[in-house]
Amino acid sequence: MEKRTLLVDLNERAYPIHIGAGLLSQTPALLQEANIKVSQKLFLITDAHVAQHYLKPLQLLLEQAGYQVFSHIVVAGEKAKQFAVYEEVMTAAIEAGLDRKSVVLALGGGVVGDLAGFVAATYMRGIDFVQIPTSLLAHDSSVGGKVAINHRLGKNLIGAFHQPLMVIYDVDTLQTLPRREISAGFAEVIKHGLISDEGFVGWLEEHAKGLMELDAKLVSEAIYRGCAVKAAVVAKDETEQDIRMTLNVGHTFGHAFEALTGYGQLNHGEAISIGMVLAARYAESIGMSPEGVAKRTKRVLAAFGLPTQWPKELHPEDVLRAMHLDKKGVAGTLTLVLPTSMEHVEIVPRVKEEDVLRFMSEEWEESQK
Ligand SMILES: NC(=O)c1ccc[n+]([C@@H]2O[C@H](COP(=O)([O-])OP(=O)(O)OC[C@H]3O[C@@H](n4cnc5c(N)ncnc54)[C@H](O)[C@@H]3O)[C@@H](O)[C@H]2O)c1
Ligand SMILES: [Zn+2]
């Protein structure tokens, strides 16, 4: 299968996303294409799961091409986005003697991308990095240059905007991804449909089975279209002044669920899956969206094995508190991103928190039955 390339159009920070099967083996050639010279040290950051499958072969390939490669393996999962791990990676970078010309390679899912990207954004005030995503969810995090680590009081609170030089997306790597993570990745793909393209949502639902089985052609198409939606939004609003916020549909609820379950029980994709259904139900309840949008949203997500119900162990008041800590909240009220159809969402500022609490209490009561 040939590779497809999407350009993220950000003027002097524009970069290509290469998508296809077998691309990992083309990494040295692609780095050279991006003008990364063998004299530049490479710092490969990955996590313990991904390292098992892909670290040695990739490192070997790069060394055979003449690159000097340092690697660092972090713990797998969201805990890698904590201060202690960030410090540990920085120490390794300094000990490896990286300089301002060195390049960070982020080999892994969204967690590694966010962490390694933040390391790159801050090491010596910023060095280049290349994303090599290995999870489906990372199709989202690899576009747009948001990089961050978490604080114990909230997710992604410490971060930067730092665009990668290039993204190398080898869909073959998804073969080792646990099924639950595949589902979670599709939550963000579906989100990209829901904010802009009902046809894409329909296509996803129609091909849910083949997509979940990771048919390389279908998955490449889904990633390409998902990245294209995000790239178009980011190109209009790189630093999230306005319309980029539409990408947060389902995330205000979702981040609260993730925070309250200790970034564990529900993964990011699962949390926003429930969040997107809640956003649609809330939009319907205030007459912002026609009836049926919530039901259809739920059906598409369920086709990918994603949860769509209020997590019954979570109390609405705790969720509201957690929503406030999410950085999108503005004093006393909440800003929500709500759908108006199967392909459009709107940013709704100053939603009264008592209204949201009432709505959530109804959802919670429903979940207790
Ligand atoms: N920067 C952004 O714009 C942005 C957008 C969306 C999500 N995110 C962030 O992305 C993170 C979630 O990303 P994720 O779901 O990819 O999580 P992740 O990176 O933790 O990956 C999920 C799990 O799958 C494993 N894994 C990854 N690739 C694998 C492979 N090919 N084979 C076997 N195992 C593999 C990982 O080790 C981990 O255990 C969150 O921290 C979220 O905040 C960032
Ligand atoms: Zn997300």
Side-chain angles (χ1 to χ4, degrees), residues 229-345:
V229 171
K230 180 156 185 189
V233 173
V234 169
K236 284 191 208 134
D237 177 23
E238 188 178 351
T239 55
E240 196 165 334
Q241 302 305 310
D242 43 58
I243 67 155
R244 186 166 175 170
M245 273 183 71
T246 59
L247 296 166
N248 291 328
V249 62
H251 281 60
T252 306
F253 291 111
H255 282 163
F257 296 152
E258 274 185 284
L260 290 173
T261 56
Y263 302 131
Q265 208 171 312
L266 283 174
N267 65 32
H268 182 72
E270 291 164 348
I272 66 146
S273 171
I274 302 170
M276 288 188 285
V277 175
L278 290 176
R281 285 172 69 89
Y282 187 70
E284 282 186 15
S285 78
I286 59 169
M288 214 182 123
S289 138
E291 221 165 283
V293 168
K295 206 167 161 197
R296 185 146 176 238
T297 301
K298 194 168 164 171
R299 199 177 73 206
V300 181
L301 292 161
F304 288 87
L306 286 158
T308 56
Q309 307 278 17
W310 182 273
K312 56 173 177 280
E313 67 284 3
L314 298 186
H315 202 272
E317 275 167 23
D318 296 328
V319 175
L320 187 68
R321 219 168 299 126
M323 284 166 96
H324 272 302
L325 288 174
D326 194 66
K327 57 187 179 295
K328 285 166 279 290
V330 180
T333 64
L334 289 165
T335 298
L336 294 179
V337 183
L338 302 174
T340 57
S341 72
M342 287 304 290
E343 58 178 9
H344 186 73
V345 301

Side-chain angles (χ1 to χ4, degrees), residues 282 320 324 331-336 348-359:
Y282 187 70
L320 187 68
H324 272 302
T333 64
L334 289 165
T335 298
L336 294 179
V348 187
R350 293 181 292 279
V351 179
K352 281 203 207 114
E353 56 172 73
E354 64 207 61
D355 293 346
V356 179
L357 186 61
R358 195 179 322 115
F359 165 77

Side-chain angles (χ1 to χ4, degrees), residues 171-188:
V171 297
D172 285 346
T173 61
L174 302 176
Q175 293 293 340
T176 52
L177 193 65
R179 197 174 164 84
R180 188 172 167 194
E181 301 297 342
I182 296 170
S183 291
F186 278 115
E188 300 272 17

